[in-house]
């Protein structure tokens, strides 16, 4: 008897859930506000950027269609654009190559039972919370080119001479990369740390029974298990630096000296606001999007090969 | 995400006391290296911030004489100067308006979307829409800043504040939808079925049952969005054309001109601007870090 009522109940539930009108109206209505905002203020901008990159437009007069001329101009007779691409790639590669190992090392150091370790974790996360404007202005003062600048005073302690820092074409990109690393490491330490602590203890114990070498356990057991979190971190660093570094360079150097820190995002900004060439600014944006997609796709591809699961 | 679960960070928690004697004590050298690395890294992370605090308490002549050391005395004159700057207070007000509107919008719309994707759309449809939202994580909105400005002009949105509210509502949406979808998937389906049987509409289920259950992820998304938006700079640079609409981060970069020869006062302004996010971080620290890491490693 109870079985029958249960069946009836289940049938009613199924009927109610399948009732097409309320269900499908509700699911569409509930996603509409988010989707409308998302489509209008993100997807539309992406599409509009692609369209505008085919036009010549100074933002005031009517725009006219020029086909791929903006792109052709960027690639064939614009030596600065090649510098922009190179600097962007340098920044991304340098950030991924330093932040990932550093974050992993610090996460391994932070994993443990001691009461003091969370204090270190909080301190390492602090730069993530400092507002970007404050970070940029703080480091601008820090890298003051005079002999009284803090960075130069530190160098003096080690017996190294004065550096012009943000005024020097070689030093400037590296100074900004250092600032990026300072800001980015904390969040990736936290990501790796949580992946580390998610590894079952029995697994580590079992591995330790097999070999007494901690480094072999780390290389052959722990590291493969961190593949997913390392991949996510790498992808986040790639997309993050595109935005983050642009803002940093905007405040600290405005792309200078001599285009040495002019990454693609800044180039698009300067094309739009300084050169009033919104068509070319859009073309630069489209190329930036393609580079991001390729880089993130590559990261995810490398990260998903030979994935291990236990 | 029950409160108990929020503490993901608990390394070694699973190890029981019984197991400990089996393991040899870690060599002294290894522990020494670990703390040496941590102390050096923490010093590098902390030094610029401490230097900023010290500089904010110095007078200008004192700073020129001694830019790196401790201040002679604890003095808050620079902070008073900054708080007396009416232009700066307007920037604070602008930021408060823009962020204060965008945070509730992103929290509520993403929660609805996340619930809808988790429970009402089928597996295929839900995943497809989720991927559309996640596209903004691959190509961040900052990259399309210029086309976004042109879109705003086409739409006839002239007010800088409205522009920023619209964009800031979308900035954290991909992340927020992902988090809410994961949360609502973890809520037992039976809750919804029971409520539906009792005659509750789908909206009723969401407002009366799911929202109260989701208080914890909603708070977190609001806090994380607040921190991100309060600090956002580049989109504000591109989208605002009226000086009266400037938000605080943008205003600070303008202050650089005003106080170009007075770094201690600028340092005080920078510190004050960081107060809201630092307070939020201090209060929600563990939840923020565990949520950030959880949503990247799961799903």
């Amino acid at each position: 008897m109870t079985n029958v009522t249960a069946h009836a109940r289940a049938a009613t539930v199924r009927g109610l859930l399948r009732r097409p009108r309320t269900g499908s109206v509700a699911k569409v209505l509930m996603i509409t506000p988010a989707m409308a905002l998302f489509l209008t203020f993100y997807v539309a901008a992406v599409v509009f950027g692609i369209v505008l990159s085919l036009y010549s437009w100074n933002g005031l007069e009517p725009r006219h269609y020029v086909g791929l001329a903006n792109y052709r101009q960027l690639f064939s007779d614009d030596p600065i654009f090649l510098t922009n691409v190179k600097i962007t790639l340098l920044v991304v590669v340098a950030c991924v190559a330093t932040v990932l190992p550093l974050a992993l090392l610090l996460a391994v150091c932070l994993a443990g039972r001691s009461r003091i370790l969370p204090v270190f974790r909080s301190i390492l996360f602090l730069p993530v919370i400092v507002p970007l404007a404050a970070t940029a202005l703080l480091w601008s003062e820090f890298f003051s080119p005079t002999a009284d600048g803090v960075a130069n005073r530190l160098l003096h302690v080690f017996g190294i001479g004065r550096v012009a820092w943000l005024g020097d074409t070689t030093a400037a990109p590296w100074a900004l990369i250092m600032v990026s690393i300072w800001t980015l490491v904390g969040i990736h330490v936290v990501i790796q740390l949580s992946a580390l602590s998610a590894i079952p203890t029995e697994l580590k114990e079992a591995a330790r029974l097999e070999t007494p070498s901690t480094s072999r356990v780390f290389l052959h057991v722990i590291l493969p298990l961190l593949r997913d979190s390392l991949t996510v971190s790498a992808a986040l660093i790639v997309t993050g630096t595109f935005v983050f570094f642009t803002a940093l360079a905007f405040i600290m150097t405005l792309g200078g000296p001599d285009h040495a820190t002019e990454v693609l995002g800044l180039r698009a900004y300067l094309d739009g606001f300084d050169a009033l060439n919104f068509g070319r600014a859009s073309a630069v944006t489209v190329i930036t999007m393609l580079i991001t997609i390729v880089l993130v796709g590559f990261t995810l591809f490398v990260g998903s090969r030979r994935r291990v699961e236990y | 995400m029950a409160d108990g679960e929020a503490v993901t960070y608990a390394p070694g928690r699973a190890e029981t006391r019984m197991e400990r004697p089996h393991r040899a004590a870690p060599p002294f050298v290894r522990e020494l290296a670990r703390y040496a690395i941590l102390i050096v890294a923490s010093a590098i992370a902390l030094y610029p911030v401490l230097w900023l605090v010290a500089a904010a308490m110095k007078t200008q002549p004192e700073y020129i004489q001694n830019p790196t050391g401790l201040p002679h005395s604890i003095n808050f004159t620079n902070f008073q100067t900054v708080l007396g700057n009416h232009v700066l207070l307007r920037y604070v007000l602008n930021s408060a308006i823009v962020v204060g509107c965008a945070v509730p919008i992103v929290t509520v719309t993403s929660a609805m979307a996340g619930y809808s994707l988790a429970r009402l759309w089928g597996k295929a449809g839900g995943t497809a829409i989720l991927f559309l939202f996640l596209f903004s994580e691959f190509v961040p909105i900052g990259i399309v800043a210029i086309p976004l400005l042109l879109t705003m002009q086409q739409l006839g949105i002239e007010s800088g504040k409205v522009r920023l509210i619209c964009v800031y509502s979308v900035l954290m949406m991909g992340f927020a939808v992902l988090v809410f979808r994961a949360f609502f998937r973890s809520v037992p389906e039976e809750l919804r079925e029971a409520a539906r049987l009792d005659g509750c509409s789908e909206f009723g289920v969401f407002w009366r049952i799911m929202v109260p259950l989701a208080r914890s992820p909603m708070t977190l998304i609001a806090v994380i969005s607040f921190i991100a938006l309060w600090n956002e700079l580049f989109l504000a640079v591109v989208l605002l054309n009226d000086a009266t609409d400037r938000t605080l981060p943008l205003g600070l970069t303008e202050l650089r001109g005003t106080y170009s020869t007075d770094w201690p006062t600028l340092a005080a302004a920078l510190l004050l601007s960081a107060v809201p996010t630092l307070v939020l971080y201090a209060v929600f620290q563990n939840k923020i870090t565990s949520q950030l890491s959880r949503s990247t490693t799961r799903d």
Side-chain angles (χ1 to χ4, degrees):
Chain A
M1 204 52 183
T2 42
N3 235 343
V4 176
T5 36
H7 268 293
R9 256 175 77 96
T12 331
V13 173
R14 256 179 268 128
L16 265 174
L17 296 182
R18 216 183 285 146
R19 205 163 53 182
R21 276 186 38 233
T22 46
S24 58
V25 167
K27 77 178 183 184
V28 171
L29 279 181
M30 286 175 95
I31 206 160
T32 300
M35 189 51 95
L37 284 168
F38 190 76
L39 289 178
T40 319
F41 299 109
Y42 175 68
V43 179
V46 171
V47 175
F48 195 45
I50 297 172
V51 173
L52 266 182
S53 73
L54 306 174
Y55 283 81
S56 163
W57 191 33
N58 63 7
L60 301 167
E61 293 157 26
R63 51 178 182 262
H64 51 95
Y65 183 78
V66 293
L68 294 174
N70 286 323
Y71 294 96
R72 219 172 298 136
Q73 202 188 15
L74 282 173
F75 283 111
S76 57
D77 39 70
D78 192 337
I80 296 167
F81 181 69
L82 215 62
T83 319
N84 300 148
V85 175
K86 272 190 216 151
I87 292 290
T88 309
L89 292 178
L90 169 78
V91 169
V92 172
V93 171
C95 283
V96 174
T98 49
V99 171
L100 263 196
L102 214 54
L104 190 57
L105 173 71
L106 292 171
V108 170
C109 290
L110 281 177
R113 267 181 300 252
S114 160
R115 277 191 184 281
I116 189 111
L117 291 175
V119 178
F120 281 115
R121 187 189 51 147
S122 300
I123 294 176
L124 291 176
F125 198 75
L126 186 67
V128 180
I129 299 297
V130 177
L132 180 61
T135 305
L137 293 176
L138 185 164
W139 286 98
S140 298
E141 176 69 17
F142 190 90
F143 284 126
S144 163
T146 60
D148 277 338
V150 182
N152 276 334
R153 280 187 171 222
L154 287 179
L155 283 192
H156 188 75
V157 174
F158 295 104
I160 306 171
R162 197 156 75 86
V163 176
W165 295 112
L166 303 178
D168 183 285
T169 45
T170 331
W174 292 103
L176 291 198
I177 288 171
M178 276 197 274
V179 179
S180 306
I181 295 168
W182 181 77
T183 317
L184 285 172
V185 164
I187 197 160
H188 297 285
V189 169
V190 167
I191 292 175
Q192 298 312 323
L193 182 59
S194 112
L196 268 179
S197 51
I199 295 176
T201 321
E202 307 86 68
L203 211 66
K204 287 183 251 179
E205 300 286 331
R208 214 161 274 138
L209 288 180
E210 292 288 319
T211 164
S213 155
T214 320
S215 55
R216 281 183 60 192
V217 171
F218 183 77
L219 275 180
H220 297 292
V221 180
I222 312 269
L223 208 53
L225 283 171
L226 293 179
R227 185 178 268 267
D228 277 357
S229 66
L230 286 172
T231 309
V232 170
S233 265
L236 284 179
I237 298 170
V238 171
T239 56
T241 43
F242 270 91
V243 176
F244 176 79
F245 198 92
T246 304
L248 213 55
F250 175 80
I251 303 179
M252 294 178 70
T253 60
L254 202 58
D258 193 24
H259 307 285
T261 55
E262 193 178 303
V263 284
L264 283 167
L266 206 54
R267 169 64 197 261
Y269 174 85
L270 294 172
D271 265 354
F273 285 88
D274 275 13
L276 285 182
N277 191 338
F278 286 100
R280 198 170 67 195
S282 299
V284 173
T285 304
V286 172
I287 294 168
T288 316
M289 287 196 279
L290 289 178
I291 293 179
T292 332
I293 294 172
V294 168
L295 287 180
V296 172
F298 177 74
T299 312
L300 296 182
F301 172 74
V302 171
S304 62
R305 274 188 325 163
R306 285 185 292 130
R307 164 196 249 156
V308 256
E309 292 198 13
Y310 289 88
Chain B
M1 192 193 327
D3 274 356
E5 202 199 319
V7 198
T8 338
Y9 167 68
R13 215 197 200 177
E15 292 166 59
T16 62
R17 217 164 270 179
M18 295 291 288
E19 283 167 357
R20 247 187 245 176
H22 287 291
R23 225 210 268 174
F28 172 69
V29 182
R30 199 184 300 157
E31 287 300 287
L32 198 68
R34 166 202 288 228
Y35 284 104
I37 293 170
L38 285 178
I39 287 169
V40 169
S42 301
I44 296 172
L46 208 51
Y47 176 73
V49 180
L50 292 181
W51 171 65
L52 190 69
V53 176
M57 303 211 174
K58 291 172 186 170
T59 60
Q60 173 63 9
E62 191 188 344
Y63 175 73
I64 289 177
Q65 261 194 350
N66 170 24
T68 44
L70 291 171
H72 287 313
S73 59
I74 307 282
N75 105 51
F76 294 103
T77 336
N78 293 324
F79 293 96
Q80 281 165 359
T81 312
V82 171
L83 288 175
N85 184 330
H86 293 287
V87 185
L88 195 68
L89 292 183
R90 190 168 62 205
Y91 297 151
V92 173
L93 186 66
N94 286 343
S95 267
I97 293 172
V98 169
V99 177
C101 289
V103 166
I105 293 178
V106 67
T107 311
V108 173
T109 58
S110 307
M112 284 204 305
Y115 173 70
S116 173
L117 289 179
R119 285 288 172 241
L120 305 181
W121 293 79
K123 199 171 162 73
T127 315
I129 297 174
L130 180 72
F131 270 102
L132 178 65
F133 278 115
L134 287 184
F135 190 70
S136 66
E137 303 288 303
F138 293 133
V139 179
I141 297 183
I143 290 182
V144 292
I146 297 285
L148 197 55
L149 167 72
L150 305 173
T151 313
M152 294 283 182
Q153 288 170 346
Q154 291 289 309
L155 292 172
I157 303 174
E158 290 302 325
S159 155
K161 290 200 191 74
V162 176
R163 285 181 181 177
L164 279 192
I165 291 171
C166 293
V167 176
Y168 283 3
S169 303
V170 181
L171 196 63
M172 299 296 287
M173 201 173 262
F175 172 70
V177 170
L178 182 72
V179 169
F180 280 124
R181 176 173 168 272
F183 171 78
F184 287 120
R185 271 155 68 103
S186 72
V187 174
E189 175 90 51
E190 288 78 28
L191 267 178
R192 170 172 162 263
E193 289 172 3
R196 294 283 282 137
L197 266 186
D198 289 341
C200 208
S201 70
E202 290 290 355
F203 285 100
V205 174
F206 178 73
W207 285 114
R208 298 208 195 123
I209 296 167
M210 295 302 164
V211 169
L213 278 177
R215 226 176 323 158
S216 170
M218 284 179 93
T219 316
L220 257 179
I221 289 296
V223 168
I224 293 177
S225 307
F226 181 93
I227 293 177
L229 300 179
W230 186 263
N231 295 343
E232 203 288 328
L233 172 75
F234 191 64
L235 287 166
V237 168
V238 173
L239 294 176
L240 299 182
N241 45 20
D242 200 340
T244 55
D245 284 335
R246 278 185 190 134
T247 55
L248 185 58
L250 190 50
L252 287 175
T253 65
E254 298 297 323
L255 272 193
R256 178 170 48 170
T258 320
Y259 298 121
S260 59
T261 51
D262 189 0
W263 169 246
T265 309
L266 185 55
L270 296 181
L271 274 180
L272 285 177
S273 80
V275 166
T277 51
L278 287 178
V279 167
L280 277 180
Y281 174 61
V283 174
F284 291 97
Q285 196 199 125
N286 286 322
K287 290 193 165 195
I288 292 174
T289 48
S290 69
Q291 179 64 63
L292 284 179
S293 48
R294 186 136 32 100
S295 41
T296 53
T297 46
R298 217 195 254 173
D299 222 47

